Amino acid sequence: MRKARLLLAVVWVAMVLALTGCGPRVYNNGTYKGVSQADDHGYAIAEVVVEKDRIVSAKLTEITELGVPKDYAAYPYAPAREANAEMSKRFAGRKDANADTYAGATSSSSKYKEAVAFALEKARKSPEIKTAYFEGTFFGKSKEGPQGYGIAWVAIKADKIVQVRLEDVTSQGELKDWLTYEYAKALEAKHEMEKRFTERNSAMVDAYTGATRSSTSWIEAVADALANAKIR
């Protein structure tokens, strides 16, 4: 009789927990930042507020291929502007990042979803991903200076840098045209620094002699990309 009562009590508690959603928490409460993978059109950032295993809010930002936040007040493609506001609403109240994509802005929606998913992984009490970095290609940018700044796409697999692409952005906000650029040392440095980052598996490499400014900006950009890819 005592065993039967104990069994009923256990079943009753389980039912109450199921109905009230008071089981073990999946996420820690707090605000978490996720950065999506980058392509030649940029990437997305999500600042996600989590409370009681639900997304309370998700602030979404898209960054261009030059490392500059999109100005939606002036952005010409209406679906992308609309998706920025609508996707934030679609994530609110969810336990995951699997919101419906916004019609006409599939690429932006997918980047937002990935950024939110990465933010939620950072919030997990028990991580599902055991590596130090997310896998994929991540973007980084150096500080801006009078002559422009450096940018980098860093591909990571199993915590290893497998490929790096470096570019310079001029003070006019345009990608440097390497075919017409007169200073040969800078182009030499670009190719050599890409190799050094990969071989060293780190942003901490020596600058290329004769192209210190470009080298330093690329070191900063690769370090920024690795920070964007880092899970914890």
Side-chain angles (χ1 to χ4, degrees):
M1 187 69 173
R2 181 178 294 176
K3 288 183 178 179
R5 287 177 179 173
L6 180 60
L7 179 60
L8 285 171
V10 169
V11 171
W12 181 82
V13 170
M15 290 176 62
V16 169
L17 290 175
L19 291 171
T20 60
C22 295
R25 296 287 187 203
V26 175
Y27 304 114
N28 293 300
N29 292 342
T31 302
Y32 300 88
K33 178 183 174 181
V35 179
S36 78
Q37 294 185 70
D39 56 24
D40 286 339
H41 302 288
Y43 64 98
I45 300 173
E47 294 179 39
V48 180
V49 178
V50 179
E51 188 174 328
K52 296 180 180 177
D53 277 356
R54 297 280 181 179
I55 296 172
V56 176
S57 64
K59 180 183 176 183
L60 306 174
T61 308
E62 261 195 291
I63 309 298
T64 71
E65 69 279 8
L66 298 179
V68 179
K70 281 186 180 178
D71 180 4
Y72 283 107
Y75 198 66
Y77 187 57
R81 296 198 309 269
E82 295 160 3
N84 181 258
E86 181 60 28
M87 291 299 290
S88 291
K89 297 175 186 175
R90 294 185 182 184
F91 289 122
R94 294 191 63 88
K95 290 186 173 183
D96 55 39
N98 297 323
D100 292 336
T101 57
Y102 189 80
T106 303
S107 177
S108 294
S109 298
S110 297
K111 288 173 182 174
Y112 290 144
K113 290 169 71 171
E114 185 172 63
V116 170
F118 286 171
L120 291 177
E121 175 60 29
K122 293 180 180 182
R124 281 187 174 276
K125 289 180 174 290
S126 298
E128 290 191 336
I129 301 175
K130 307 302 182 183
T131 52
Y133 297 100
F134 292 111
E135 290 196 350
T137 300
F138 295 85
F139 184 95
K141 175 185 176 183
S142 75
K143 297 190 296 289
E144 296 186 24
Q147 298 180 56
Y149 55 93
I151 57 177
W153 286 261
V154 179
I156 301 169
K157 185 175 179 60
D159 281 347
K160 299 290 185 182
I161 297 174
V162 295
Q163 187 175 16
V164 174
R165 176 159 66 98
L166 304 172
E167 296 292 348
D168 262 349
V169 179
T170 68
S171 56
Q172 289 76 41
E174 299 174 346
L175 287 175
K176 185 175 286 182
D177 183 354
W178 296 107
L179 293 177
T180 60
Y181 194 62
E182 296 178 353
Y183 187 56
K185 278 286 185 183
L187 184 56
E188 291 173 12
K190 169 178 153 60
H191 295 314
E192 178 61 26
M193 294 295 285
E194 289 171 343
K195 286 172 53 182
R196 290 182 185 181
F197 291 125
T198 305
E199 291 171 356
R200 187 74 180 270
N201 192 39
S202 171
M204 298 299 102
V205 301
D206 293 333
Y208 188 79
T209 303
T212 304
R213 186 199 64 79
S214 291
S215 297
T216 301
S217 70
W218 288 326
I219 288 169
E220 291 179 5
V222 170
D224 186 48
L226 291 175
N228 286 335
K230 195 168 181 62
I231 301 175
R232 290 174 184 82

